[in-house]
Amino acid sequence: MGFLKDIAERKQFKRYMLDAWQQYSTLKSLIREPLILVDIRTGRIIEVNAPFERILGWSMKQVVGVPIADLGIWQESSRNKVVKLILKKRTVKLTDIQLSTIDGDVLTGELCAKIVRLNGGLAVLATFYYSHSLMTVERFFNVNEREFSSAFDPTTDVVTISDFQTAKYIKVNEAIQNLLGYQQANLLKKTEFDIGVWASVEERTDFLKKVKEDGPQLLETALYRQEVGYMPIKFVVDILCTEGKNYVMMVGHDVTNLRKAERRAIHLAYHDPLTNLPNRTLLYERLEQQIKLVQRYNLHAALLFLDLDHFKNINDSIGHPIGDAVLKIVTTRLKASIRTNDTVSRVGGDEFIILLTRLEGDFNEVERQVLMTAERIREILSEPMLIDAYRLQISTSIGVTIIPEHGVNTSELIKRADIALYKAKELGRNMIATFRSSMQSAVVQRMRIEAKMRQALQNKEFKLCFHPQVFSRTHEITGAEALIRWVQGKDVFSPEHFINILEETQLIIEVGEWIILEACRLYAKLMDNKAISLLDFKFCVNVSPKQIQHEGFYDLIERALKQYNIPKRAITLEVTEGIVIQETNNTIEKMYALKKLGVNFAIDDFGTGYSSLSYLKKLPIDMLKIDKAFVDTITTDIHDSGIVSAIITMANSLDFEVIAEGVETVDQLSILEEKGCYLYQGYLFSKPLTFDSLQALLVAQSSRQI
């Protein structure tokens, strides 16, 4: 259990009290009697001045941090009496006090002491004088002008002494002229009110009352200088007493730069540094205020959660400066799309949340208004952007929540807007989705599946099965595609039930690593059992762009090949055409590095994505896999038949292997052979097999070849 408390103001107060003590330290040059500062709580000495060292004999190194009682500087009974009196009256003046020097000599004199606040605690500031011809700390301002100037003019801080009753200035140092432009002589004719230190007599009276009761206080006020305007000045204010009369001492300095820095810090704490938009913190505050208004005045409000589709590709492919420029253009367009009382905030890399306020009407009317606004924003953001030599066009997915129907809790509303955003992406991106309770149920179910899959990885519930790949002219198995299955008791789940969750979480990295290692292990087992006689037999393993881009993927492949001592060309990595859309220089470099390592690449489900000849020429591809959707209708649809012919022709021209997926009938295979495709996988030969079943087929095949 812990507790948090904001101590910024207290820390600032401590710093200024240290400054105040530095000013007291400046006074030490004027005080010719022993001066000592003692912490009340511990009784330890904080500081002494030079006359203390000279007259009483102890050096500063000997006494600082030492309890004053240990010095034996005065009798115990006398010391206890003085301490009790100081704590009661806070300011005392005692005569006939006897103090002992380090040599045992006894001095009799007058002790003036007062309680001061220092570093957030209390201390006693005391002066002992035994010759009435010398000054005390309470009468230091009676020094002549030359002595006063020599002590205070070198400091850049303003030092003023004024009459407690009239507020008329008695002494001021030279810094007042540098700071406010007043001549010292002219200022001595004025009062604290004349230069604007106080707003009223009552304010001064109340403040000085607090100083009398609690010791030195901080005062910040704005003083006027003609060519500059009002300047924030911070003073440490104390009251000095001599011969029954009180005086006010102020030590102050200009805090303009400090206030500017504070305002800048506050702004940065609540705004995004790149776009200058409100950040998540400020959005939360405004959303909380809006929820209260909605409830009080029976209004509506809404959140639009925006995510720029595939924005990462811009950063990865053409650089972060261009990406930053895109975000700034998006910011400008969003601000121009909303009313002045609405809020646009940036809450993540490419994520924005818009708070629409003071919406009137029933839920259906409000939802219609909000969706119109969202559609307008989506269209505006889709307009082309010209940045340097690039013409960019982005799409946006938007999730919507309505307040109060979708909740009145800040975090819950944003979470539900995020759920709606996820639904918009699931629908194909560049879409708008309004939150529905069924979405949350789906998310909860999704989280449960993710948790179960993490447990499944630990419990070794994932298994590999293999779909044979066959050369039609000889009916030989030349390879197999490794397919993951999730086995829970008697239930076996194929990838369509969980692959999306793997792809959208870091689980794809962990499970993907297991698949690679397991495929290599089983390949080595086939070799050990002499089930493989073909030198070009290979396992095809599906991998996602996330896996390839992961910094440890190359090392994983290299380690797996070495660990199980299998041929480098034994593994073909299958990627979808999505890698063509998402390709980046970084991804291509990693693919070529893996190619040099010896692995092959195949494009899975070819023809269903966005591939072009120019992109295919960039990538180190060895094989194209014709998607099952075209094979299904190759005997009945002339267009699909033509697409298959084009894919085979293109593969041959680029010297790629080509294999057809999902071959289920003899007629389908016959047409594929006529077009020049002789590799296939599908139910015509076999369903996906367990490893033992595949091994049995390969052993039988190897025996026939011998």
Side-chain angles (χ1 to χ4, degrees):
M1 179 179 289
F3 298 91
L4 295 177
K5 184 178 181 181
D6 184 359
I7 60 171
E9 187 64 28
R10 192 173 73 189
K11 285 283 190 183
Q12 185 184 47
F13 185 80
K14 286 183 179 181
R15 289 195 297 270
Y16 276 102
M17 290 314 299
L18 283 173
D19 292 341
W21 174 243
Q22 290 171 0
Q23 296 304 326
Y24 279 121
S25 298
T26 304
L27 297 180
K28 290 190 297 184
S29 62
L30 295 175
I31 300 171
R32 300 166 188 171
E33 295 80 30
L35 180 144
I36 188 169
L37 187 69
V38 180
D39 181 67
I40 285 182
R41 185 177 62 84
T42 64
R44 296 181 182 275
I45 297 172
I46 298 172
E47 190 168 359
V48 297
N49 66 348
F52 182 96
E53 295 178 291
R54 186 180 68 255
I55 296 172
L56 296 176
W58 284 278
S59 68
M60 184 176 296
K61 289 183 179 179
Q62 289 177 296
V63 299
V64 170
V66 175
I68 191 170
D70 293 353
L71 288 188
I73 196 170
W74 55 17
Q75 295 179 356
E76 184 72 16
S77 59
S78 176
R79 183 178 64 83
N80 290 338
K81 179 181 178 182
V82 171
V83 170
K84 289 180 181 179
L85 197 58
I86 292 173
L87 291 175
K88 181 179 180 181
K89 293 190 174 183
R90 306 189 71 87
T91 300
V92 298
K93 183 182 293 184
L94 302 170
T95 58
D96 297 327
I97 296 296
Q98 291 185 334
L99 299 184
S100 298
T101 68
I102 194 171
D103 297 327
D105 297 334
V106 177
L107 302 177
T108 302
E110 184 177 271
L111 182 74
C112 293
K114 68 182 300 184
I115 290 180
V116 297
R117 287 192 177 274
L118 195 65
N119 293 345
L122 297 177
V124 174
L125 179 65
T127 301
F128 177 76
Y129 62 99
Y130 59 97
S131 172
H132 292 285
S133 63
L134 299 176
M135 298 180 301
T136 71
V137 67
E138 302 293 355
R139 295 186 301 207
F140 75 90
F141 52 84
N142 287 327
V143 300
N144 61 43
E145 292 300 326
R146 184 171 58 81
E147 289 178 312
F148 186 88
S149 297
S150 66
F152 291 111
D153 284 349
T155 180
T156 57
D157 287 351
V158 171
V159 180
T160 68
I161 299 172
S162 57
D163 185 88
F164 182 86
Q165 297 297 332
T166 64
K168 184 179 179 182
Y169 286 114
I170 297 172
K171 291 190 181 298
V172 296
N173 70 336
E174 196 176 69
I176 197 77
Q177 180 175 341
N178 300 330
L179 187 66
L180 299 177
Y182 289 106
Q183 296 288 337
Q184 287 174 276
N186 292 338
L187 196 62
L188 293 177
K189 301 175 183 178
K190 298 182 180 296
T191 69
E192 297 166 8
F193 296 103
D194 292 332
I195 68 170
V197 174
W198 308 103
S200 65
V201 174
E202 291 75 15
E203 181 188 27
R204 183 176 186 268
T205 301
D206 293 342
F207 190 87
L208 294 183
K209 180 181 178 182
K210 187 172 180 58
V211 174
K212 260 192 167 183
E213 293 174 352
D214 299 330
Q217 299 290 315
L218 294 175
L219 169 70
E220 185 167 335
T221 187
L223 301 183
Y224 184 78
R225 180 164 183 163
Q226 187 170 359
E227 62 272 26
V228 177
Y230 284 97
M231 304 163 55
I233 310 295
K234 175 153 283 191
F235 288 103
V236 176
V237 183
D238 198 4
I239 296 173
L240 304 175
C241 177
T242 182
E243 298 177 355
K245 190 170 183 180
N246 291 329
Y247 298 87
V248 178
M249 178 179 178
M250 294 189 183
V251 179
H253 58 277
D254 180 13
V255 291
T256 300
N257 292 335
L258 176 62
R259 291 295 165 260
K260 286 181 180 177
E262 287 177 349
R263 287 194 294 271
R264 176 62 178 162
I266 292 172
H267 183 81
L268 289 175
Y270 287 96
H271 291 79
D272 170 56
L274 175 65
T275 62
N276 204 36
L277 289 175
N279 61 12
R280 187 181 294 270
T281 302
L282 184 53
L283 171 69
Y284 268 61
E285 289 188 5
R286 292 186 179 177
L287 180 54
E288 287 176 358
Q289 294 171 0
Q290 192 58 214
I291 290 170
K292 292 177 183 177
L293 289 174
V294 163
Q295 293 174 319
R296 182 178 301 169
Y297 298 107
N298 196 27
L299 297 170
H300 283 85
L303 288 178
L304 307 183
F305 202 139
L306 287 71
D307 181 87
L308 307 182
D309 299 330
H310 304 300
F311 177 76
K312 184 177 183 296
N313 297 337
I314 296 175
N315 281 335
D316 291 344
S317 58
I318 56 181
H320 287 274
I322 300 297
D324 289 348
V326 168
L327 292 174
K328 290 178 180 179
I329 292 174
V330 167
T331 297
T332 302
R333 293 182 179 181
L334 289 177
K335 290 169 71 174
S337 304
I338 63 170
R339 303 165 300 171
T340 55
N341 59 310
D342 297 330
T343 296
V344 181
S345 62
R346 183 185 177 207
V347 295
D350 61 339
E351 293 180 335
F352 298 81
I353 293 181
I354 299 176
L355 171 60
L356 302 177
T357 63
R358 295 181 176 275
L359 303 175
E360 298 181 357
D362 60 21
F363 173 77
N364 292 332
E365 173 60 22
V366 168
E367 184 179 31
R368 187 186 67 81
Q369 295 176 39
V370 171
L371 290 178
M372 287 176 58
T373 301
E375 179 61 28
R376 185 174 69 250
I377 289 171
R378 191 185 65 81
E379 291 176 357
I380 290 173
L381 294 185
S382 68
E383 294 176 3
M385 303 176 184
L386 297 176
I387 303 173
D388 293 343
Y390 299 97
R391 185 180 186 274
L392 303 174
Q393 194 163 7
I394 62 172
S395 63
T396 308
S397 302
I398 305 176
V400 177
T401 51
I402 310 294
I403 309 168
E405 279 77 3
H406 294 150
V408 290
N409 175 273
T410 305
S411 300
E412 194 69 22
L413 281 165
I414 290 177
K415 184 173 76 173
R416 289 176 176 177
D418 195 13
I419 291 172
L421 171 62
Y422 176 82
K423 184 64 177 180
K425 291 180 180 180
E426 196 178 60
L427 293 172
R429 300 182 186 270
N430 197 27
M431 301 290 286
I432 301 167
T434 303
F435 174 79
R436 296 290 183 264
S437 57
S438 58
M439 296 179 185
Q440 191 154 16
S441 301
V443 169
V444 171
Q445 180 63 19
R446 191 181 190 83
M447 291 173 63
R448 288 175 181 164
I449 294 175
E450 182 182 344
K452 285 183 178 180
M453 284 196 298
R454 292 187 184 278
Q455 195 67 35
L457 188 59
Q458 295 177 5
N459 295 341
K460 298 181 180 180
E461 295 176 6
F462 291 118
K463 306 292 179 186
L464 289 184
C465 66
F466 297 88
H467 208 178
Q469 297 173 335
V470 184
F471 185 60
S472 63
R473 288 184 169 181
T474 62
H475 304 292
E476 292 174 334
I477 302 173
T478 62
E481 180 180 359
L483 302 171
I484 188 172
R485 296 291 186 265
W486 181 6
V487 181
Q488 285 191 306
K490 296 182 179 180
D491 297 325
V492 179
F493 298 98
S494 56
E496 58 262 26
H497 291 94
F498 57 85
I499 196 67
N500 286 340
I501 299 177
L502 287 178
E503 288 282 0
E504 292 165 10
T505 65
Q506 285 303 309
L507 275 174
I508 191 64
I509 305 300
E510 300 173 52
V511 175
E513 179 177 348
W514 175 83
I515 293 172
I516 295 289
L517 292 171
E518 182 70 358
C520 291
R521 184 184 73 83
L522 294 176
Y523 192 100
K525 191 172 181 180
L526 291 177
M527 293 175 59
D528 292 341
N529 294 336
K530 298 185 173 21
I532 305 172
S533 59
L534 297 175
L535 294 178
D536 59 348
F537 185 87
K538 60 179 70 68
F539 276 164
C540 292
V541 179
N542 292 278
V543 294
S544 73
K546 278 187 178 180
Q547 288 176 269
I548 294 177
Q549 291 166 4
H550 190 263
E551 60 181 38
F553 189 68
Y554 177 92
D555 293 337
L556 167 65
I557 299 296
E558 185 178 41
R559 172 164 52 90
L561 295 175
K562 288 181 179 178
Q563 180 177 340
Y564 295 105
N565 193 27
I566 62 176
K568 292 183 177 180
R569 295 179 65 83
I571 300 296
T572 294
L573 301 179
E574 291 191 13
V575 296
T576 63
E577 290 183 82
I579 203 168
V580 177
I581 321 170
Q582 300 176 30
E583 64 87 13
T584 64
N585 292 332
N586 183 41
T587 303
I588 294 175
E589 288 172 6
K590 289 186 175 182
M591 290 179 69
Y592 272 103
L594 289 164
K595 182 72 175 175
K596 288 180 181 178
L597 190 61
V599 301
N600 292 334
F601 283 96
I603 289 188
D604 194 15
D605 302 332
F606 188 78
T608 60
Y610 306 88
S611 299
S612 67
L613 190 60
S614 61
Y615 276 114
L616 287 178
K617 289 169 65 178
K618 286 183 180 182
L619 300 173
I621 300 300
D622 301 279
M623 175 188 287
L624 300 181
K625 300 187 75 175
I626 302 172
D627 186 70
K628 181 180 184 300
F630 300 113
V631 175
D632 284 344
T633 55
I634 195 173
T635 61
T636 58
D637 190 317
I638 190 172
H639 298 293
D640 284 351
S641 178
I643 291 173
V644 171
S645 296
I647 292 172
I648 295 170
T649 301
M650 182 173 62
N652 291 334
S653 66
L654 293 173
D655 199 24
F656 293 163
E657 278 190 289
V658 62
I659 183 172
E661 294 181 296
V663 177
E664 297 180 355
T665 68
V666 173
D667 290 343
Q668 290 172 343
L669 181 58
S670 297
I671 294 175
L672 286 168
E673 288 179 317
E674 289 174 8
K675 295 178 182 295
C677 176
Y678 303 101
L679 281 175
Y680 76 95
Q681 68 183 72
Y683 284 14
L684 177 63
F685 182 85
S686 168
K687 292 181 179 181
L689 304 171
T690 65
F691 173 75
D692 290 340
S693 298
L694 174 67
Q695 182 172 247
L697 284 178
L698 290 172
V699 168
Q701 177 176 282
S702 181
S703 299
R704 290 195 302 270
Q705 290 172 344
I706 293 173

